[in-house]
Amino acid sequence: MTARYGIIGWPLGHTMSPTLHNWGFGQIGLDAVYKAWPLEPEGVADFIRRVRTEPIMGASVTIPHKRAVMPLLDRLTDRARTVGAVNTLYWDGDQLCGENTDVTGLVAPLRQLGQLPGSALVLGAGGAARAAVIGFRELGVPDIRIANRTPDKARAIASELSVRAVAWEARMDQGAGIVCNTTPLGMSGDLAQATPWDADRFEPGMIAYDIVYNPLRTRFLREAGAAGCRTVSGLEMFLHQGLAQFQLWTGHALDEGGARELLL
Ligand code: ATR
């Protein structure tokens, strides 16, 4: 019987996850299919029942369900508990487990850059910002700061995760070696021409990381690149969180280069 996988979210919109995972199943010759399942918040408990009974072999979880699924599972990984969000459901024997591969996805492209600067600044204070702070901590970046338009949210994350909150207005004065945008500024649509950073405030040697992947080169990344900074696109985070999911589900590591080419 064909094994079933998929992604839940609401509104789900366009997602590259089916492309990645269905290609992956083909690569390893697994009889499986991955679908997009738009799911309203009221439907989460029902969905988890379906996962258990049908069964569904694994699922990606995206906004707004990343927290809601947590109490419905048999086990959470330490990582998922620390991040406070689940983006992956998988089976360990007869236990339905929740993992978070967003941190893995965020960290992987930075590890590939080798020696990193000693300071990082996270812009935004939503779920992705939390994952970014935890990622930078795992990378051993000694000085981590967070800035958000609504300062209280940055302060809450800062005090919980023992990093420093700084004023949104002062974000470009921090001398940060890595700047990670987790806000929707620059995302296609109304915000496409927006950027969280002034073009003349990039310093050579900085790393500009945007978790936005639509468009692939946001204004933030284009201007950082033009100023001589290294840039990391949100596509890399997407790719690596997806490869980590695939490995959890199948035990197989997909070819990273092939997967990137597919998504591009
Ligand atoms: P996610 O879970 O994906 O991180 P989120 O929880 O909606 O998404 O967080 C979005 C972040 O982008 C928030 O920190 C938000 O700032 P506020 O806390 O002030 O709302 C930030 N953000 C959204 N639009 C913004 C804008 N126009 N300028 C600056 N920050 C913005």
Side-chain angles (χ1 to χ4, degrees):
M1 205 172 76
T2 305
R4 303 175 68 214
Y5 295 83
I7 178 168
I8 57 167
W10 186 264
L12 195 49
H14 177 73
T15 162
M16 292 189 290
S17 293
T19 305
L20 176 67
H21 293 297
N22 285 318
W23 172 80
F25 294 144
Q27 290 288 305
I28 65 168
L30 188 71
D31 180 15
V33 62
Y34 183 107
K35 291 187 176 164
W37 292 316
L39 180 77
E40 291 184 58
E42 303 79 68
V44 170
D46 241 18
F47 174 77
I48 297 296
R49 269 192 290 276
R50 272 183 53 207
V51 172
R52 292 179 187 282
T53 51
E54 291 194 8
I56 287 166
M57 298 315 289
S60 310
V61 179
T62 187
I63 291 165
H65 305 318
K66 287 183 173 189
R67 293 183 80 88
V69 297
M70 295 176 75
L72 305 170
L73 306 175
D74 301 324
R75 191 157 58 77
L76 298 172
T77 62
D78 289 344
R79 172 64 82 49
R81 217 171 287 122
T82 315
V83 180
V86 158
N87 81 328
T88 312
L89 307 184
Y90 70 100
W91 288 98
D92 181 8
D94 60 358
Q95 292 214 302
L96 182 59
C97 304
E99 169 64 300
N100 189 305
T101 66
D102 287 334
V103 178
T104 312
L106 186 119
V107 158
L110 288 169
R111 285 198 202 284
Q112 292 175 347
L113 290 181
Q115 181 77 32
L116 293 175
S119 63
L121 174 66
V122 175
L123 303 175
R130 269 185 80 89
V133 168
I134 291 164
F136 288 128
R137 238 174 29 181
E138 283 190 16
L139 285 165
V141 175
D143 177 353
I144 303 169
R145 303 181 191 188
I146 178 168
N148 190 50
R149 180 178 64 176
T150 308
D152 281 353
K153 287 206 236 166
R155 275 189 221 118
I157 293 181
S159 80
E160 190 195 338
L161 299 176
S162 304
V163 297
R164 214 172 121 192
V166 298
W168 178 252
E169 295 70 26
R171 64 194 181 282
M172 288 178 276
D173 308 324
Q174 304 299 318
I178 308 171
V179 177
C180 180
N181 176 46
T182 76
T183 76
L185 295 171
M187 212 178 260
S188 68
D190 292 349
L191 292 173
Q193 286 317 309
T195 173
W197 209 259
D198 295 344
D200 60 0
R201 298 300 304 274
F202 289 104
E203 303 286 342
M206 261 172 76
I207 296 173
Y209 193 149
D210 205 332
I211 71 153
V212 173
Y213 61 75
N214 181 21
L216 214 50
R217 305 289 298 167
T218 55
R219 179 173 167 194
F220 174 61
L221 293 188
R222 288 197 314 271
E223 292 178 346
C229 302
R230 286 179 287 176
T231 61
V232 183
S233 128
L235 186 83
E236 291 299 313
M237 176 173 171
F238 173 81
L239 171 67
H240 287 282
Q241 64 78 30
L243 295 178
Q245 291 186 325
F246 192 87
Q247 180 135 27
L248 258 180
W249 293 334
T250 67
H252 287 267
L254 287 173
D255 170 49
E256 184 189 315
R260 182 179 293 106
E261 224 169 276
L262 170 88
L263 296 178
L264 285 171

